[in-house]
Amino acid sequence: MTRKFLFLLGSSRNGGNTETLARLAAEQLPAGAEQIWLRLSELPLPEFEDLRHEGEGSYPVPTGHAATLLDATLEATDLVIASPLYWYSVSTSVKRYLDHWSGWLRVPGTDFRARMAGRTLWGVTSYASTADKAEPLIGTLRNTADFMGMHFGGVLLGNGTRPGQVENDSDATARAKEFFMPPS
């Protein structure tokens, strides 16, 4: 089966360190692997509204950007959340996207959880302090994968504040070249 990678860019900055690191890792994907890149800032989602306890607790079929993101998510074999470390976790746009998963779980006929099971969730992030500060972000993605029955591919970490600085993190750039490779 051909792998289809969906890269969701969750930065408020185009071309930042997280995106640079994600693109470096993506360069190493096998030639047959498909890549889709979506910038969450260009597909803004509304605030998530919790409807679980209203009526039957179901949600309407998403429209607009939510439909675009739902369809792209369901088509991917590998989902890569590329979010800078913002206040020890994922960015607002990534958190809002993940919040919408709660509604997608309850859209009749979507079978979101069953369809996501067995796929792989990856993370890429850049941070400005120390790698241990990324533990809440890593936990968010690991727990999301676990809840959904997905494989957790791990998180590629890189250090950098100003755009381009992550390229000076030789450990991160070396890990990027092997990040998406299956374990031997």
Side-chain angles (χ1 to χ4, degrees):
M1 177 170 89
T2 301
R3 291 173 73 188
K4 186 172 185 176
F5 283 77
L6 173 60
F7 289 84
L8 289 171
L9 302 174
S11 179
S12 59
R13 173 189 306 155
N14 292 348
N17 289 306
T18 298
E19 182 177 347
T20 298
L21 194 56
R23 290 190 184 277
L24 180 60
E27 288 174 6
Q28 314 307 314
L29 289 173
E34 190 174 337
Q35 298 179 37
I36 304 295
W37 293 78
L38 296 177
R39 194 173 305 281
L40 291 174
S41 63
E42 295 173 0
L43 298 165
L45 293 170
E47 289 293 326
F48 176 70
E49 187 178 352
D50 187 350
L51 304 175
R52 290 176 297 166
H53 305 292
E54 294 183 20
E56 295 177 18
S58 63
Y59 281 72
V61 174
T63 60
H65 296 315
T68 299
L69 289 167
L70 172 60
D71 291 345
T73 301
L74 288 171
E75 291 173 11
T77 61
D78 294 79
L79 178 63
V80 183
I81 301 291
S83 172
L85 184 65
Y86 287 164
W87 287 99
Y88 314 105
S89 192
V90 294
S91 66
T92 301
S93 61
V94 169
K95 178 63 170 79
R96 183 172 292 129
Y97 163 75
L98 292 174
D99 285 349
H100 277 266
W101 284 27
S102 185
W104 297 346
L105 286 166
R106 294 168 178 85
V107 173
T110 301
D111 300 321
F112 186 66
R113 188 179 204 168
R115 292 174 66 188
M116 293 303 292
R119 296 162 195 240
T120 303
L121 179 64
W122 307 85
V124 178
T125 192
S126 59
Y127 57 90
S129 56
T130 57
D132 64 312
K133 300 296 188 218
E135 282 303 316
L137 179 147
I138 295 167
T140 294
L141 298 180
R142 182 186 307 113
N143 291 335
T144 298
D146 184 54
F147 177 78
M148 296 296 290
M150 299 173 74
H151 302 289
F152 181 58
V155 176
L156 176 59
L157 301 167
N159 184 268
T161 302
R162 298 183 74 65
Q165 282 185 336
V166 76
E167 294 173 295
N168 299 328
D169 183 341
S170 57
D171 289 337
T173 57
R175 285 190 309 273
K177 293 180 180 177
E178 299 177 353
F179 185 59
F180 294 121
M181 302 295 178
S184 49

